Structures are given as C-alpha cells and as structure tokens.
Amino acid sequence: MFIHQLSLKNFRNYHDLTLEFEKGINVFTGQNGQGKTNLLEAISLLSVGRSFRTARDADMICFGKDSANVFAHTNSEKGEYRIELKLGDTVKKAVKINSMPIERLQDLFGVCNVVVFSPDDLKLIKDGPKERRLFTDREISQIKPRYYRILSEYYKVLNQRNLLLKQEDEPILLDIYTEQLAKTGFEIYKMRQEFCEKIAYTAKQIHNKISSGAEDLRIEYEANIQVSSTEEFYVVLKEAIEHDKIRKYSTRGIHKDDIAVFINDMDVRHFGSQGQKRSAAISLKLSEIQIIYEDMGEYPIVLLDDIFSELDSGRQEMLLEHVEHTQVFLTTAEPFAYQGNVYCVTSGKIQIIK
C-alpha cells in the first residue's frame, strides 16, 4: 500500500500543493513551524478521515478560507484509489472514493491504512485509560470497519442512557437502553479482547528485541465487564442501575475499559521510567504494523513525525528495520543519515533535494 500523489488546497499553510512520491522512505526536513507535520496530518486523514492532531476540521483550513481539500492517488493489493476529502468550517466533511461520495465515514476505513508515530505516543502509556481506548478503537476500526459502526451506536445509546439517568425515573425506557448497551457492548468487548491478544503477543516479541532480551513486556486487556454472552453483559448492567441512578451516569461498560502494560511485572503506566514508557509505546505502535499486515495482507503507510530526536541510534535503526517493507513519511529538523527521498520544507513551500 502506498501513495504516489498527494494534492492539498488551502490545507493548513499549503494553499496549492501537489507532490509525487516513491515507495520507501520520504523525508521532510526543515526548521520547526514550516509545515512538515501538516503534510503527515493530511496523509493521516486518508485513513480514518480524522486528524491525529485536532478534533476540529476548522483547525486544518487555511486562515481566511472557508474550506480545504485533500486529494490522493493510492495503490494497494485491492487496486488503485483516488481519495478526496473536503473539510468545511461550517459544513459536514465530504469524502469521495474514485469520484463516488461515501455516506458513512467507516466506508473509508481499510482503503488506505496508516500508522502514525509522534512524540505524543508517550501519552499512550503515561496518560489515563481514555488514550489507550482511543488507540484500540482507532486500530480495530482500520482492520474491521464494522467495529466503528458498532462503537458509534454504543456511545449514542450511552449518551441517551446517561441523560435519562439525570431525569425522572422511567424504568421501561431505561431497560430498553440497557438492553441496547449490552448488545453493542458485548460485541465491542469481544473484538477488543481479540485485538489485545494479538497485540500482546506481537508487542512482546518486538520489545524483547528492543531491550536485547532484558525486559519482558506484557499487555493485558482490563475489561470493565468480563462475561461470555450478551445476556450476562445485560445482567451486569442491570445490577448497576441503582448505583447509576445515584451517580447519574453509567458506571459499567466498555467505556471504562483499559489496557495494562507491564515490564518485568511492573505496571509501566504508574511506575515505569520515561525510557521504559517510550519503549513500551514504540513496541505497541510497531505491533500495529504487523497486525494490519496479518489481517489485511499488506503493510500500512507509516508516518514518523519528529520522533528520531528522542531515540538513540540503536532504536532509530531498529525502528527503520521494522518499517522497511512500508512506505514511510518522516519529518525531522535534524540531518537524516539514512537513505531516502528528501524534501526541504520552508514556510509551506517544498523543494526536492534528492
């Protein structure tokens, strides 16, 4: 899977840009604040239609403009695709694949798989459960687009249930919402469980190599509700209703899940050093690449956003070794000692160096 052409119009600090790429490593170099990460952000949109930097589409539109466009030509085992995204300040995001509008964002998933590495990856380990749930949800959605639809349904029902818990007691309607929450919640639980088992195995092998066998990485899915059927899931939710009424929100469910990360049986989330947290995060992210390959039959596109300055030469070589089969887009403000196609970025202007 690779991108051979990218065009941007009024996207961030790019008013009108078209670039053609080769397979292998593509390096964007230049001082900070020139627009290097903006290019990677645009590429990430091709995967799930959302930025890895902001939740607001308006943030990605050039100042003074009311819309932005991202176009890309991609190749994969499935064929060639032209992906078009239009971002509006006041209108709904519009996406086309091969000139055909898609009705649901989930129809974009799987067309152009992307894995992003950024300095914020450390949040995956050091921040709260929400970061790890987002990581899990984003990656499963790329592999199984149906997951995104079920997850959206779950949170829609969850919000309705929470509103009801704040109002007068309506037991019949509350029970309906509880049944719906159990149905979607159990499906999500099973898919998260399967994903965590895969990533735990793969990350363990990768981390063993990163640490030269000195550290054992263990990943565990901490499900808020662990059951074997939708009916059992419903019973747990039903038993929590009185407590939910007191708290005025749903206290049980997949929205409370977490992923535990251990190195040599130590909980890295709470007690690991910065170096251990960074290594664990890299192991998890590298695992994404392999899992996507195993499930989709081809490697994803990899984005490395200014992370080399945080890694020693050994970890840099290890990281590049794991992405050697992929198309890589890499940003750096420092000299890049490895082979690749190099582009210099200056104030939204790009010059090909080699």
Side-chain angles (χ1 to χ4, degrees), residues 1 3 6 40-52 70 72 74 83-85 93 95 97 102 104-116 138-139 141-143 145 148 288 292 296 300-303:
M1 182 174 293
I3 298 170
L6 177 72
L40 269 58
E41 180 180 33
I43 294 171
S44 75
L45 286 173
L46 305 172
S47 178
V48 293
R50 287 187 170 85
S51 166
F52 65 89
V70 177
T74 70
I83 304 172
E84 307 173 43
L85 294 98
K93 182 190 288 114
V95 183
I97 300 175
I102 63 173
R104 304 168 301 176
L105 195 58
Q106 72 185 70
D107 294 333
L108 178 62
F109 299 170
V111 174
C112 181
N113 291 317
V114 172
V115 173
V116 183
R138 185 167 52 244
E139 302 322 314
S141 294
Q142 286 200 78
I143 299 167
Y148 180 80
E288 292 181 59
I292 289 174
M296 308 296 291
I301 294 163
V302 175
L303 310 182

Side-chain angles (χ1 to χ4, degrees), residues 302-315:
V302 175
L303 310 182
L304 305 177
D305 184 28
D306 194 28
I307 67 167
F308 272 50
S309 59
E310 301 184 0
L311 303 176
D312 57 36
S313 59
R315 282 180 167 79

